[in-house]
Amino acid sequence: MESKKIILIFFIFIFGCSFSQDIEFKYLGGGYNLSYSALRGFNRFVDIYNKDSVKIGGSILDEKMDYLTTPTGKNLAFGLSIGDGILDISYTKRRDECSGHYSIPEEHSRDFLYKTGTLGFGYLLRSDASGSKLELYYGLHLDFSRGKLFTMLTNLNDDWVSVMTFGNFAFTPCAQIFFHPFNGPVFFGARAYWQMNWGKVDFSPIHPHFDYTYAADVTKPLKSSGGNIGIMFQVFVNPFKIKLPERKIEPDVPVLADVNLSGLVKDAGTNAEIGEATIKIEKFHEGQYIEIISTKTGTGVGSYEVTLPRNARYRISVEAFGYDKKSEEFELNDYSPQDYKKDFLLPKFQVGQTIVLKNIYFKKASAELLSESYPELDKLYKFMNMSPTCEIEIAGHTSSEGNDDYNLKLSQDRAQSVVNYLKGKGIADNRMVPRGYGEKMPIADNDTEEGKELNRRVEFKILKQ
């Protein structure tokens, strides 16, 4: 009854530790066990058996029987880390053999085989002397053993015959070392222990296998508890520390917002803002610039604002009527500011500079302006209105179709029509000089329709600023 209470208290202690702290897998492994076993009951039998008076079948023992003292075998162990300790569960198998030899009248021997299996539950505490490479633990095991004893007469070619089976339990103080020679899931261990068997085993069932009969006072010492001390050499693995090839995961990179590009378009001479300037933005792609955005500044206001993606090369072109066009290349990357400022100062047309008026249309073979021409002429009007001292020449040109006199008169009439339109908008007549040049000043080849179309044009030239 007392032994059952002790066992119960031991298990309550172990499982109490398990549920009160974090549990983590520690190891799974095995090894080889060497031990010295004091099977005192059996070995006392050997002492009696080895006496000269022992005879078996008329044969006298001439080589004494050895003790069963050094059982060896394999060990399996499983461990869970619980706080600063380890819950260790192990199973160990051991075996040992001994024999006595006879020579008269014929040679034979009596052999004994001892087998045992031990299931143990223990709790080991980590020592303060432990390091990262070498861990030291000490603790107590409760071991349950089951042993078997076999015998055989070799001269009769017998098989092993079971003599007896017995069970026992023991309290086993032990010390455990874990050695981690390298970083990884595999490590090594060694355990020293002293297994103190609690119950006594009666080895007197050996008697019926021999002719010799023992007196009661001789057989009494055959009942004994015994125990063993030993050492285990082990190899462990923690499969949860096995590093599998990791799939490379790119770190989350913050997505940078697009850049807000803004600025002002101003007159380089007066620093006044230029309204209705055209801003064209092109993106460099596969060796060339491709237009992606076209916008304008407001009426009388020179500001603009666009949003552009990062990590690209751009070209921005700014033009306004009456001013020279300006272009600039730049690049936006991850280091560019969120708000990117870029102002443009446009110089006015200079004296002597000639500018072609785009999209000016007349009726065929006539000086009558078509309404499609008004937007471009309105730009010229605004330029003249903002430059009150500017004087210009309006020049008309034709292709080589028709005779020279006809073309000269047609170009003069068309130049006059432009002057009349501007005069009607309020520009003083003395600030404009109409002049027809006919076909005398071509800018393209008159042999093609495309060339002739380019030569039919109206220009204005700055005479005075």
Side-chain angles (χ1 to χ4, degrees):
M1 183 63 70
E2 288 298 324
S3 62
K4 291 182 179 178
K5 288 183 179 179
I6 294 173
I7 294 172
L8 180 61
I9 293 172
F10 185 78
F11 274 107
I12 291 174
F13 169 73
I14 289 178
F15 287 102
C17 292
S18 301
F19 287 107
S20 64
Q21 303 184 61
D22 293 333
I23 299 177
E24 210 175 280
F25 185 85
K26 178 69 174 179
Y27 56 74
L28 178 67
Y32 194 74
N33 176 83
L34 298 173
S35 66
Y36 176 82
S37 179
L39 290 174
R40 292 196 294 268
F42 178 83
N43 291 334
R44 285 169 184 167
F45 163 77
V46 171
D47 289 336
I48 299 170
Y49 187 79
N50 284 338
K51 290 181 178 180
D52 293 338
S53 59
V54 174
K55 296 181 181 181
I56 301 273
S59 298
I60 299 175
L61 182 68
D62 64 353
E63 186 176 322
K64 295 182 178 182
M65 185 177 289
D66 297 326
Y67 291 140
L68 286 175
T69 55
T70 55
T72 60
K74 298 176 182 178
N75 164 261
L76 294 175
F78 169 82
L80 296 173
S81 289
I82 304 175
D84 289 333
I86 297 174
L87 174 62
D88 179 84
I89 302 173
S90 65
Y91 181 72
T92 306
K93 294 181 69 174
R94 305 180 184 90
R95 61 176 289 158
D96 195 12
E97 295 183 36
C98 67
S99 63
H101 188 266
Y102 304 83
S103 60
I104 300 173
E106 59 181 329
E107 293 190 4
H108 62 277
S109 66
R110 167 68 66 181
D111 296 338
F112 281 94
L113 170 63
Y114 167 63
K115 289 184 177 181
T116 182
T118 301
L119 179 64
F121 302 87
Y123 189 72
L124 309 176
L125 289 172
R126 182 182 172 92
S127 169
D128 293 337
S130 299
S132 59
K133 293 289 185 181
L134 191 66
E135 296 182 276
L136 305 177
Y137 287 83
Y138 58 90
L140 184 67
H141 255 248
L142 181 61
D143 293 334
F144 298 89
S145 300
R146 183 175 178 82
K148 287 188 177 183
L149 193 64
F150 302 85
T151 188
M152 178 175 62
L153 278 172
T154 56
N155 65 318
L156 298 179
N157 295 320
D158 282 349
D159 290 329
W160 288 108
V161 177
S162 178
V163 175
M164 58 180 293
T165 301
F166 56 90
N168 212 331
F169 71 92
F171 289 103
T172 307
C174 56
Q176 177 77 51
I177 296 174
F178 297 112
F179 178 50
H180 303 266
F182 39 77
N183 292 328
V186 179
F187 54 101
F188 305 97
R191 177 182 299 176
Y193 63 90
W194 177 21
Q195 188 180 59
M196 299 182 293
N197 290 324
W198 192 265
K200 292 185 178 183
V201 179
D202 184 2
F203 285 90
S204 59
I206 298 173
H207 301 165
H209 293 274
F210 305 96
D211 295 334
Y212 185 83
T213 301
Y214 298 97
D217 60 339
V218 176
T219 60
K220 186 176 181 180
L222 301 183
K223 190 174 184 179
S224 176
S225 59
N228 67 84
I229 60 174
I231 187 168
M232 300 176 188
F233 299 97
Q234 302 156 305
V235 178
F236 297 106
V237 63
N238 187 337
F240 294 101
K241 289 190 176 180
I242 296 176
K243 291 187 177 180
L244 299 176
E246 295 183 359
R247 180 171 63 89
K248 187 176 181 181
I249 300 176
E250 295 294 336
D252 292 334
V253 178
V255 178
L256 297 175
D258 293 341
V259 173
N260 298 319
L261 175 65
S262 63
L264 295 172
V265 180
K266 296 182 179 181
D267 187 308
T270 64
N271 208 37
E273 295 184 13
I274 301 174
E276 297 187 7
T278 300
I279 294 96
K280 182 174 71 173
I281 298 176
E282 301 166 291
K283 183 178 180 180
F284 191 77
H285 179 70
E286 295 182 353
Q288 61 181 338
Y289 281 102
I290 300 172
E291 182 176 338
I292 58 171
I293 295 175
S294 181
T295 186
K296 287 180 177 291
T297 60
T299 302
V301 180
S303 61
Y304 72 94
E305 184 175 357
V306 294
T307 300
L308 298 175
R310 296 174 184 270
N311 299 310
R313 184 176 167 191
Y314 297 96
R315 179 169 65 189
I316 182 170
S317 302
V318 182
E319 57 183 322
F321 195 90
Y323 294 88
D324 287 335
K325 178 179 178 181
K326 228 177 185 182
S327 297
E328 187 175 326
E329 295 181 5
F330 63 99
E331 190 169 338
L332 297 179
N333 53 41
D334 290 342
Y335 303 101
S336 300
Q338 180 71 47
D339 296 313
Y340 195 86
K341 302 291 184 182
K342 191 173 285 294
D343 294 338
F344 289 90
L345 297 176
L346 302 184
K348 276 187 176 181
F349 293 152
Q350 301 299 309
V351 173
Q353 189 172 351
T354 300
I355 300 95
V356 177
L357 290 169
K358 300 175 183 177
N359 304 316
I360 302 297
Y361 302 101
F362 299 91
K363 281 186 179 181
K364 188 173 182 181
S366 169
E368 184 180 346
L369 281 166
L370 297 178
S371 60
E372 291 91 332
S373 306
Y374 298 162
E376 183 74 3
L377 293 177
D378 288 344
K379 292 179 184 179
L380 179 57
Y381 160 72
K382 290 178 182 178
F383 168 72
M384 295 292 289
N385 195 44
M386 292 176 62
S387 306
T389 60
C390 181
E391 296 179 6
I392 61 174
E393 174 190 276
I394 304 294
H397 300 273
T398 66
S399 66
S400 61
E401 290 181 339
N403 61 59
D404 293 346
D405 292 338
Y406 174 81
N407 287 334
L408 184 63
K409 184 177 185 308
L410 180 61
S411 63
Q412 181 67 38
D413 292 343
R414 286 179 170 178
Q416 186 63 54
S417 293
V418 171
V419 168
N420 293 340
Y421 180 85
L422 295 174
K423 183 178 177 181
K425 300 283 283 184
I427 303 300
D429 186 50
N430 62 359
R431 295 177 58 197
M432 299 176 288
V433 178
R435 184 166 296 171
Y437 289 93
E439 58 186 81
K440 296 178 182 177
M441 302 176 66
I443 57 174
D445 192 349
N446 275 306
D447 294 335
T448 64
E449 287 301 322
E450 292 80 5
K452 292 176 182 178
E453 187 68 27
L454 291 173
N455 289 330
R456 300 184 193 112
R457 67 192 188 279
V458 176
E459 300 172 337
F460 73 95
K461 181 178 180 181
I462 306 296
L463 300 177
K464 180 183 177 183
Q465 275 284 29

